[in-house]
């Protein structure tokens, strides 16, 4: 029996999931929590979930103070920056030879802490510093993603597509000029078009009608700016939010295009297991509604070791040094959340 007096998106019976990018080794997690403390706007609620009879609401109390790391040491993950530039150059060559149109290549960074990570610290910092992103933590994977893979809510579906990035300088006037440059960049517009097309093609079979804007807008985040497009539609079948996420993954924003060729090239060149990086992460309720983002700007942790991820879309005009700089900018949210107060 489900009793949901709040009757708001995210109330009632929920499952939280974080799914692997690839089928192999397929390290995914789906969690049904016993207690959910929820808030949406001015509405707050507590949900209890049990296998037997309904339980009374638990008594809530303050938790122990957060434990801040004193020392964090970073090192390269699967490969050095110079090696990754060579991989990007190889991918550009494959694209120019006509093997594919776009591939998304990721790299990782390893952080060693002086004590086991108190994940509340980076989560609180990410939520405060990146209010335009979705901050998440599921089974050892955390981050703040600006990309909503899919939202299903009462018959409507939305997907926010990001592709095409430029780093911010901190100078507002200069950043506005950079935003205008990004909006006119043929390289970034081409990359973005591939991503939007892949999402629209995947959602179309499930929708009665769709709205796909002709031009992207520029999404301003504290560290970078992205070309962004919100694709919306009216659902025409009972597919759940998780089913829609499965239909969309991997989009051109995290894999490339054509999908099979891009995924094969990632396996050949990237030199690491992404785990749940760039896979769907989010929640679903008993009606199938829910929100699934893509685990970008993310990290996985185990005790004192934290592994950070970042990825860049590679097309024919990509420059390896510029892509390395973009990856460094995408590390900043989680990196700063681990090291700065």
């Amino acid at each position: 029996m489900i009793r949901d007096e709040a009757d708001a998106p995210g109330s009632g019976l929920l499952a939280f999931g974080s799914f692997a990018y690839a089928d192999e080794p397929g390290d995914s997690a789906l969690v049904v929590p016993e207690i959910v403390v929820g808030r949406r706007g001015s509405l707050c609620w507590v949900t209890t979930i049990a296998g037997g009879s309904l339980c009374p609401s638990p008594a809530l109390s303050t938790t122990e103070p957060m434990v801040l790391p004193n020392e964090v040491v970073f090192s390269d993950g699967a490969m050095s920056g110079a090696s990754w530039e060579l991989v990007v150059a190889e991918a550009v060559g494959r694209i120019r030879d006509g093997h594919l149109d776009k591939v998304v290549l990721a790299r990782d960074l390893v952080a060693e802490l002086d004590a086991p990570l108190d994940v509340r610290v980076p989560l609180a910092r990410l939520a405060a510093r990146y209010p335009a992103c979705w901050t998440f933590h599921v089974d050892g994977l955390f981050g703040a993603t600006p990309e909503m893979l899919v939202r299903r809510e009462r018959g409507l579906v939305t997907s926010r597509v990001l592709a095409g990035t430029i780093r911010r300088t901190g100078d507002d006037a200069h950043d506005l000029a950079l935003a205008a440059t990004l909006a006119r960049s043929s390289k970034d517009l081409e990359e973005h078009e591939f991503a939007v097309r892949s999402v629209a093609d995947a959602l179309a079979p499930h929708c009665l009608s769709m709205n796909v804007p002709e031009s992207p807008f520029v999404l301003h985040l504290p560290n970078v700016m992205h070309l962004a497009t919100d694709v919306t539609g009216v659902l025409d079948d009972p597919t759940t939010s998780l089913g829609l996420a499965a239909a969309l993954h991997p989009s051109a924003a995290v894999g490339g295009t054509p999908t099979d060729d891009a995924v094969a090239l990632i396996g050949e060149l990237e030199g690491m297991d992404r785990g749940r990086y760039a896979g769907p992460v989010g929640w679903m309720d008993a009606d199938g509604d829910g929100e699934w983002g893509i685990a970008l700007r993310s990290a996985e942790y185990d005790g004192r070791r934290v592994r950070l991820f970042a990825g860049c879309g590679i097309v024919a005009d990509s420059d390896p040094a510029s892509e390395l700089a973009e990856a460094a900018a995408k590390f900043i949210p989680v990196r700063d959340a681990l090291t700065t107060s």
Side-chain angles (χ1 to χ4, degrees), residues 164-166 168 175 178-179 182 218-221 224-227:
T165 304
I166 195 166
R168 297 191 69 161
D175 286 343
L178 289 176
L182 178 64
V218 177
L219 176 67
H220 294 251
L221 299 177
V224 295
M225 294 176 285
H226 297 289
L227 292 180

Side-chain angles (χ1 to χ4, degrees), residues 2-319:
I2 299 175
R3 188 177 69 204
D4 181 5
E5 297 171 355
D7 191 27
S11 65
L13 178 64
L14 291 183
F16 294 87
S18 173
F19 291 88
Y21 167 78
D23 292 337
E24 296 295 336
D27 179 23
S28 301
L30 191 65
V31 179
V32 178
E34 292 183 4
I35 299 173
V36 178
V37 180
R39 184 180 67 186
R40 182 174 287 264
S42 61
L43 177 65
C44 300
W45 67 87
V46 176
T47 299
T48 58
I49 301 171
S53 59
L54 291 176
C55 303
S57 297
L60 301 180
S61 60
T62 57
T63 59
E64 296 295 324
M66 294 188 293
V67 179
L68 306 179
N70 292 315
E71 184 178 355
V72 183
V73 178
F74 292 95
S75 61
D76 288 325
M79 62 180 69
S80 67
S83 297
W84 194 75
E85 283 187 88
L86 293 176
V87 167
V88 172
E90 175 65 21
V92 170
R94 302 284 187 95
I95 293 169
R96 290 177 178 174
D97 288 341
H99 296 287
L100 69 167
D101 297 316
K102 174 189 173 182
V103 63
V104 179
L105 294 177
R107 69 181 305 251
D108 60 343
L109 191 68
V110 175
E112 297 288 346
L113 283 61
D114 61 342
L117 177 68
D118 183 342
V119 74
R120 296 175 300 168
V121 174
L123 287 175
R125 291 171 174 174
L126 288 169
R129 296 169 184 173
Y130 295 87
C133 294
W134 291 270
T135 301
F136 61 88
H137 173 227
V138 179
D139 194 39
L141 184 79
F142 72 93
T145 179
E147 186 155 5
M148 176 58 63
L149 180 62
V150 66
R151 174 191 291 120
R152 178 187 188 269
E153 186 175 332
R154 297 171 182 174
L156 301 178
V157 61
T158 305
S159 180
R160 170 163 289 182
V161 184
L162 303 183
T165 304
I166 195 166
R167 187 170 183 171
R168 297 191 69 161
T169 66
D171 181 297
D172 290 342
H174 191 195
D175 286 343
L176 284 175
L178 289 176
T181 299
L182 178 64
R184 296 191 302 266
S185 167
S186 58
K187 177 262 182 188
D188 291 293
L189 288 169
E190 179 188 28
E191 179 188 343
H192 190 79
E193 183 181 353
F194 288 138
V196 172
R197 188 186 311 152
S198 71
V199 167
D201 289 347
L203 286 179
H206 304 281
C207 291
L208 182 66
S209 62
M210 291 182 62
N211 178 43
V212 183
E214 293 184 0
S215 301
F217 64 93
V218 177
L219 176 67
H220 294 251
L221 299 177
N223 59 319
V224 295
M225 294 176 285
H226 297 289
L227 292 180
T229 295
D230 289 337
V231 178
T232 59
V234 178
L235 286 172
D236 192 33
D237 63 35
T239 305
T240 66
S241 60
L242 183 55
L244 293 170
L248 285 166
H249 180 75
S251 71
V254 298
T257 187
T259 301
D260 291 343
D261 296 326
V263 169
L265 189 60
I266 289 170
E268 178 186 344
L269 297 181
E270 211 168 65
M272 68 176 187
D273 172 23
R274 290 187 177 187
R276 287 177 282 155
Y277 166 73
V281 59
W283 60 271
M284 183 174 71
D285 66 16
D287 295 324
D289 284 352
E291 296 179 334
W292 295 91
I294 300 174
L296 304 174
R297 320 295 195 273
S298 67
E300 59 183 17
Y301 71 97
D302 184 6
R304 300 183 182 186
R305 187 177 189 272
V306 184
R307 185 182 177 210
L308 292 71
F309 300 92
C312 299
I314 311 302
V315 294
D317 292 336
S318 292
D319 171 68

